[in-house]
Structures are given as C-alpha cells and as structure tokens.
Amino acid sequence: MASSDFLKKLELVGRYSNLNTPEGAEWEEQSDQYAFGLNYWLTWRSVLKVAYQTTDSVGGHDGGGTTNSFFVHWAIGF
C-alpha cells in the first residue's frame, strides 16, 4: 500500500525461541533468544537480511550469560 518502491520492498521480521535441555544432562541449558531485523527484497527471489539477536542463557558449556550478535545475510532462491 506504500507509494515508495523502496518501502514496498522492506519487511520487518522478528523471532523468539526458547531451549530447555534435559535436567541433569552434561549439556543442561536454558536459554531465550530474541531476533529483530529488516529484509530488503532485491528481486522476487533474492533478499538482503540485516538482524540483531540477543541470547540469554543459564548453564551450557560456556556457563551461560548474554550474547549479542549482528547478522547480515544475502539469500537467493532457486
């Protein structure tokens, strides 16, 4: 519904995930992950993705904590 070609090709994205591994396992971990980003469709089958992700975890091999990441991804569909 936007009149701008640039805005028509933008897409706001978000994701939430939760991981709880078996209690008492060597790799026992509880984590919550949030990701927010923008997709820009170059063509109907090619997209440029930019995202920010944060993960809060307890346990696991690294002992847990908060990890923040920034991703740039280019995808082509066949």
Side-chain angles (χ1 to χ4, degrees):
M1 294 189 311
S3 59
S4 167
D5 284 339
F6 178 78
L7 290 178
K8 286 181 185 180
K9 295 179 179 185
L10 275 181
E11 182 177 49
L12 182 63
V13 294
R15 181 177 54 85
Y16 167 77
S17 63
N18 176 274
L19 173 67
N20 292 313
T21 57
E23 220 175 284
E26 244 181 78
W27 60 86
E28 182 179 355
E29 178 180 354
Q30 295 178 339
S31 66
D32 291 309
Q33 189 177 72
Y34 300 90
F36 304 97
L38 280 175
N39 292 349
Y40 182 75
W41 291 90
L42 302 168
T43 66
W44 65 273
R45 65 178 201 154
S46 179
V47 62
L48 181 64
K49 301 178 175 197
V50 177
Y52 173 76
Q53 177 177 296
T54 183
T55 305
D56 295 318
S57 62
V58 176
H61 292 291
D62 61 359
T66 300
T67 305
N68 298 310
S69 306
F70 181 74
F71 297 99
V72 177
H73 182 96
W74 177 40
I76 301 173
F78 293 101

